[in-house]
Amino acid sequence: MKKTSTRLADGRELIYYDLGDDTVRDAVDRRPLDATVTTSEIRRDPLLGDSVAVASHRQGRTYHPPADECPLCPSAGERLSEIPDSSYDVVVFENRFPSLAGDSGRCEVVCFTSDHHTSFARLDERQARLVLDAWTDRTAELSHLPSVEQVFCFENRGAEIGVTLQHPHGQIYAYPFTTPRTSLMLRQVAAHKEATGGENLFDAVLERELAGERIVLTSEHWVAFVPYAAHWPYEVHLYPRRRVPDLLGLEEAARAEFPRVYLELLRRFDRIFGEGEPPTPYIAAWHQAPFGGLEEFDGVTRDDFALHLELFTIRRTSGKLKFLAGSESGMNVFINDVPPERAAERLREVASS
């Protein structure tokens, strides 16, 4: 992997990740852009104890442009985009309309490929590995920023999820706090550790799932399963067999095997609802240990957390979505329409040949 860092016309950082070590990246952003102005602010809810990012400048962000005006495609002639070069392998750049900025963290866009009309599931293994390496590198770099406590790499896919740019891409949020979902996990880890005299909760969960009926697929270094209390109609958790706190901790053998396993999972997701159905909308979310703020979780260290990816869709059956209505949105109590055991069975049925 070759990494080349440059600046866009308004001062934002852009980084090329290339498969070839001899690739030269010297294209200049020729757009007449003013300096980026953000109004991101973090407000803490005194009743729930969580945080809300208020970012009014995002109201003007790009919304469903036609393919020939996509800002994530390479620049071509006089059609200038967020990527100055005429081609790329993988690109990461600071979001022009960030939810988090400055002392409130940082938001980045990850373009998985220059091909506007493909998807992550259709990448080859070499390209998928390059994305993994980019995620890992950005996690390392962002963890050193003084305003950052947790790094979250994710992909939203599909208009049903709320995606406004159809080009294959994901995002990275670098939060100035530990997110509520991670905090809940860490509290459970701390309680389990104390109750069992030191047993790790993530290890216990993985051991239980390996002995059960919700396994979707396994490999030498990875395990994918539908969790016992899945929140979403089709939800898969992907764990490395050796517990590590973040992407940086993955050993080379697991990194090398990841593309094959992950691409297979994504391709199965596209087959859940049968032939002729539109691509399955999903969220793919990497859960990594925070880089600070662990003092409130008694006896828990970063090494107690287990890196894992959670992949889920909001489609519950053909042509129907799972909406977060009263119970889910009002009380955060999920009601799942698909038994996790049936979901796992279906994801095994659609295994590719």
Side-chain angles (χ1 to χ4, degrees), residues 114-131:
S114 60
D115 185 351
H116 180 86
H117 300 288
T118 191
S119 66
F120 201 123
R122 294 167 63 187
L123 299 180
D124 62 31
E125 292 186 16
R126 194 166 175 238
Q127 186 76 10
R129 169 62 190 265
L130 185 61
V131 176

Side-chain angles (χ1 to χ4, degrees), residues 199-237:
E199 182 182 64
N200 182 272
L201 178 59
F202 288 106
D203 291 350
V205 167
L206 186 57
E207 182 179 359
R208 182 181 70 176
E209 294 294 353
L210 279 167
E213 57 182 318
R214 290 177 296 276
I215 291 292
V216 174
L217 64 86
T218 62
S219 67
E220 183 178 355
H221 299 283
W222 295 89
V223 178
F225 60 89
V226 177
Y228 170 75
H231 288 60
W232 300 95
Y234 291 91
E235 174 181 343
V236 175
H237 292 191

Side-chain angles (χ1 to χ4, degrees), residues 30 71-72 93 140 142 162 172 215 287 337:
R30 295 183 284 123
L72 306 185
F93 61 88
L142 292 170
I172 302 175
I215 291 292
H287 291 261
D337 304 288

